[in-house]
Amino acid sequence: LKSGHEKHGYIWATDFDPENAPRIKEALELVTFILGAEIGNHLLLRRLQVLSARDMLTGCLNRNEMNNYVDALSNGQISPGKSVGALFADLNGLKRVNDSQGHAAGDALIRAGYRVLREVFNDDEIFRAGGDEFTVIVLGATPGDMEEKARLIGQYAAREGAVSIAVGH
């Protein structure tokens, strides 16, 4: 079973009448072509879903996915009646790093900022809203929870080194 040049598996037939071998071979070729194409399409759709939902630099959920999530929250499709905490995190100094050290260093700073957020929040709560900005959406959070998490971000950022994050919640 394959699609394009990628192999997905094998199919074979046993215990058949040798007189029917040409017809069985033809049927198996057709079945494997169809199954290979279906598997390939399924894998492509899965990859497209990941690409449309994930930020390629950090791997976190992207702005598109954040907008879909906020819409679902607003429409009551997710946890109706449950409190929602929001935290906004903006990396300090990204432009300076990009200008003085290059974009590879700026990208490293963005990834480091995301690592800090991952120490405090679950992956499915963190969204890269754009550039050096992240939004975190936490279901069932209290103002005290968000205050504590903001404090932890500062603590973990200091431990990370050159990462400075402005936070509002």
Side-chain angles (χ1 to χ4, degrees):
L1 300 171
K2 66 180 185 174
S3 61
H5 298 291
E6 188 174 344
K7 289 182 185 173
H8 303 295
Y10 299 90
I11 191 168
W12 66 90
T14 60
D15 296 332
F16 57 87
D17 182 358
E19 288 182 23
N20 293 327
R23 284 192 359 216
I24 291 171
K25 180 180 183 257
E26 185 178 300
L28 286 175
E29 286 174 351
L30 181 61
V31 167
T32 57
F33 174 78
I34 292 169
L35 286 175
E38 285 299 315
I39 291 169
N41 286 340
H42 176 75
L43 294 173
L44 176 62
L45 284 174
R46 184 181 298 163
R47 178 152 168 73
L48 289 173
Q49 283 177 318
V50 168
L51 290 174
S52 72
R54 295 277 171 189
D55 172 61
M56 292 297 101
L57 179 62
T58 62
C60 74
L61 296 167
N62 63 20
R63 184 184 192 113
N64 180 52
E65 197 64 16
M66 178 183 71
N67 291 339
N68 292 338
Y69 190 67
V70 168
D71 284 346
L73 282 169
S74 298
N75 295 331
Q77 295 169 323
I78 299 174
S79 300
K82 204 170 194 179
S83 67
V84 177
L87 181 135
F88 304 96
D90 188 290
L91 295 176
N92 296 320
L94 179 64
K95 181 175 177 7
R96 180 182 37 77
V97 169
N98 279 337
D99 291 347
S100 65
Q101 300 172 35
H103 287 278
D107 288 351
L109 181 63
I110 292 169
R111 285 191 294 272
Y114 176 56
R115 280 195 306 273
V116 168
L117 294 174
R118 283 184 57 201
E119 289 193 52
V120 180
F121 298 100
N122 297 324
D123 273 338
D124 62 350
E125 297 173 326
I126 307 168
F127 303 87
R128 184 169 175 209
D132 61 351
E133 300 166 350
F134 293 87
T135 300
V136 182
I137 301 172
V138 182
L139 295 177
T142 67
D145 294 337
M146 298 308 287
E147 180 114 5
E148 173 62 15
K149 295 204 185 262
R151 186 189 67 71
L152 287 172
I153 289 170
Q155 180 182 327
Y156 293 139
R159 192 178 69 200
E160 184 75 32
V163 179
S164 173
I165 305 175
V167 175
H169 60 88

